[in-house]
Amino acid sequence: MELWNDMKLQINQQTYDVDVAEDTPLLWVIRDNLGLTGTKYGCGLAQCGACSVLVDGEVVRSCVMPAVSAVGKQITTIEAIEQDDVGKRVVQAWVNHQVPQCGYCQSGQVMAATALLKATPNPSRDEITAAISNLCRCGTYNAIDAAIDELAKPVGGNA
Amino acid sequence: MKKLTLSMLVIIVLVAVGAWYSTRIPSTPLADVNSSELNASELIAKGEYVARASDCVACHTLPDSPAFSGGLEMATPIGSIYSTNITPDKTHGIGHYTLADFERVVRQGVAPDGHRLYPAMPFPSYAKLSDDDVKALYAYFMHGVQPSDKPNKQSEIPWPLNMRWPLAFWSGLFTDSGSYQSNTEQDEQWNRGAYLVQGAGHCGSCHTPRGLAMQEKALDESSPQFLAGALLDGWYAPSLRNDVNTGIGRWSEEDVYQFLKNGRNQHAVVYGSMTDAYNNSTQFMSDEDLYAMAHYLKSLPGDPLRDGEPWQHKPTTVTASMAAQDAAAKTYLARCSSCHGTDGMGRGQYIPPLAGATSMLAKEDASAINVTLNGSGRIVSHGVPDAYRMPPFRQQLSDKEIAEVLSFIRTTWGNHGGAVKVQDVTELREKTDPASSQVIILQMR
């Protein structure tokens, strides 16, 4: 496999130079090469969503994204999510609703919720269900729904 | 009375000629070569390469068994047959074969005792191997392979269907005799590619449609049926001709080379039985040979009538609001989009696009259903297992959900493969379940 010496990745507004094979999953680069361990490894098959990060504002399961596909794009991980206005509100709602139990999937859940609210500021219940397919072994789904519901209400509205 | 005697005589002569024809041991052009002298190390090494190109391992080696010791079960509607031990063991293998014996088995499908091989052994393709390659292959199997004393398994086909002599007539009708003859109108690279594709590579075993007698409808480019795509064993082996939708019409020679060398390119990744062909065969071939195969395949014209309207990409992004309205889009977003993208474009050569994929354009939907139910096999490229693999959705999605999401994929992004029936998913689920009574065991390789 070809080595990309000096692959440049833009993560959380910083440029990192990494030396990895081009098909290395982005998740390994984030966790192993760069030590940003807030993003979690769950299933490795894009099934659970624990490894979700934002790439150019869209939620991506980083375990199945070859690092080379992320070159030239803006990557955001849970470490920097509060620097984003929407992300900050999501984290606050998560705290308000005391969503996490064990917490392992929660960084991924926060990323998925943030991406949804960025694309669709006032999502309907169906849109929330369709967009958030992340798994949670503790079963915090009701709390997640409550937190997103709070954010989904139009500002100043009483829907 | 005279009439009766005459017709009796004619019948007796016909039967006698038929009996002679179907039980004779055919002649071989290599009868005069001294078998014991074929042991030079360069010849053995060349033979190993021919064995790779011919993918002998695919059928003659089981996982966790000695190499080439046979035993692969191939189910047929009339009972199972088993591949044989082709190690140089004198009792259970082919150690007692002379070169002449070996030539007859490989190129003509006739064993030393005169019995005919089932064409599960692709001898109609191997017939095209050159004398030199047969000699090299013989040297490799005699001196480059470890003998194994694993006994052969008896075929389970009952009498009278187990009689082999009728296969002589099958061979007479459906095989061409003589090794590959160069086409003088074409250059050396084209001829090398044709030799490898038609002969050792036996690409037609899967990719050429078969007739009523299970014969490949064509064995070379003289017919537009050659490598025109075929449905078998629960997979659709796509066309290898320049068909825009169902073939390699949109691929460059470089793309074909990449596919055979790395198991992947920007258009597709190997799956189904092609994974075995890649893992055991094509990746070990020289760049020169792979480029020759690519060059030859790209010379085969497509057939717009069979292939249909050329695919035109219609970019679409699957969004949460689409998914909120439509169950199929919702399944796509939750189960498929993380890898194949909300735009269906995949991720370069690592995750194949669904937009414009052969399996989503062909009217045969077996491959699309099969790979969704059962995932793709492990691709081991130059010793390294793949990082990205299609997972099986057998346990996670119902027949209805699979039919819906595949119908969605096969009608989005300009794809025009058409809808998938729930019934077809149910059937393939049953046939690919190892615990089922009607499982497909034979994977033609």
Side-chain angles (χ1 to χ4, degrees), chain B residues 133-182:
Chain B
D133 277 352
V134 173
K135 284 182 207 166
L137 203 55
Y138 177 77
Y140 172 63
F141 277 107
M142 292 301 135
H143 305 289
V145 172
Q146 282 295 314
S148 153
D149 59 2
K150 195 168 109 183
N152 284 323
K153 281 191 182 171
Q154 285 304 309
S155 118
E156 290 163 5
I157 298 179
W159 190 87
L161 297 169
N162 65 355
M163 289 189 295
R164 303 288 191 106
W165 59 266
L167 290 163
F169 296 104
W170 187 96
S171 289
L173 277 172
F174 299 127
T175 61
D176 305 333
S177 58
S179 50
Y180 178 78
Q181 297 301 316
S182 278

Side-chain angles (χ1 to χ4, degrees), chain A residues 1 22-25 46-47 58 61 63-66 69 126-127 129-131 133, chain B residues 320-321 323-324 330 333-334 338-339 342 347 349-351 387-389 391 393 396:
Chain A
M1 198 51 66
E22 63 168 49
D23 66 335
T24 308
Q47 309 268 295
E58 275 188 46
R61 295 189 176 176
C63 70
V64 293
M65 183 177 223
S69 316
D126 284 345
E127 284 171 327
T129 317
S133 55
Chain B
S321 40
K330 186 172 166 184
L333 197 62
S338 298
C339 297
T342 48
R347 302 242 185 255
Q349 62 171 314
Y350 296 109
I351 295 169
Y388 308 99
R389 194 174 314 147
F393 286 92
Q396 302 179 38

Side-chain angles (χ1 to χ4, degrees), chain B residues 399-420:
Chain B
D399 294 347
K400 182 165 172 282
E401 285 168 321
I402 290 177
E404 275 172 1
V405 77
L406 289 178
S407 297
F408 173 80
I409 295 166
R410 284 164 60 90
T411 52
T412 306
W413 302 301
N415 291 349
H416 48 66
V420 169

Side-chain angles (χ1 to χ4, degrees), chain A residues 112 115-117 119-120 123-132, chain B residues 317-326 329-330 333-334 337 342:
Chain A
L116 170 67
L117 291 164
T120 317
S124 68
R125 176 115 297 281
D126 284 345
E127 284 171 327
I128 296 171
T129 317
I132 314 280
Chain B
T317 302
V318 183
T319 60
S321 40
M322 263 170 89
Q325 317 277 329
D326 179 2
K330 186 172 166 184
L333 197 62
S337 71
T342 48

Side-chain angles (χ1 to χ4, degrees), chain B residues 54-62 70-86 117-123 126 153-158 164 202 205-206 210 214 232-233 439-445:
Chain B
S54 308
D55 202 6
C56 308
V57 159
C59 290
H60 288 282
T61 305
L62 287 182
L72 180 76
E73 182 175 6
M74 303 183 182
T76 77
I78 47 175
S80 287
I81 56 176
Y82 296 88
S83 68
T84 53
N85 181 335
I86 55 167
L117 270 65
Y118 291 111
M121 166 78 174
F123 63 84
Y126 295 162
K153 281 191 182 171
Q154 285 304 309
S155 118
E156 290 163 5
I157 298 179
R164 303 288 191 106
H202 65 286
S205 292
C206 293
R210 286 176 187 261
M214 288 304 286
L232 81 167
D233 307 334
V439 63
I440 302 170
I441 299 175
L442 172 62
Q443 300 284 341
M444 192 68 73
R445 301 178 206 210

Side-chain angles (χ1 to χ4, degrees), chain B residues 306-317:
Chain B
R306 169 172 48 73
D307 193 47
E309 195 70 16
W311 174 71
Q312 290 226 318
H313 189 201
K314 295 190 185 113
T316 309
T317 302

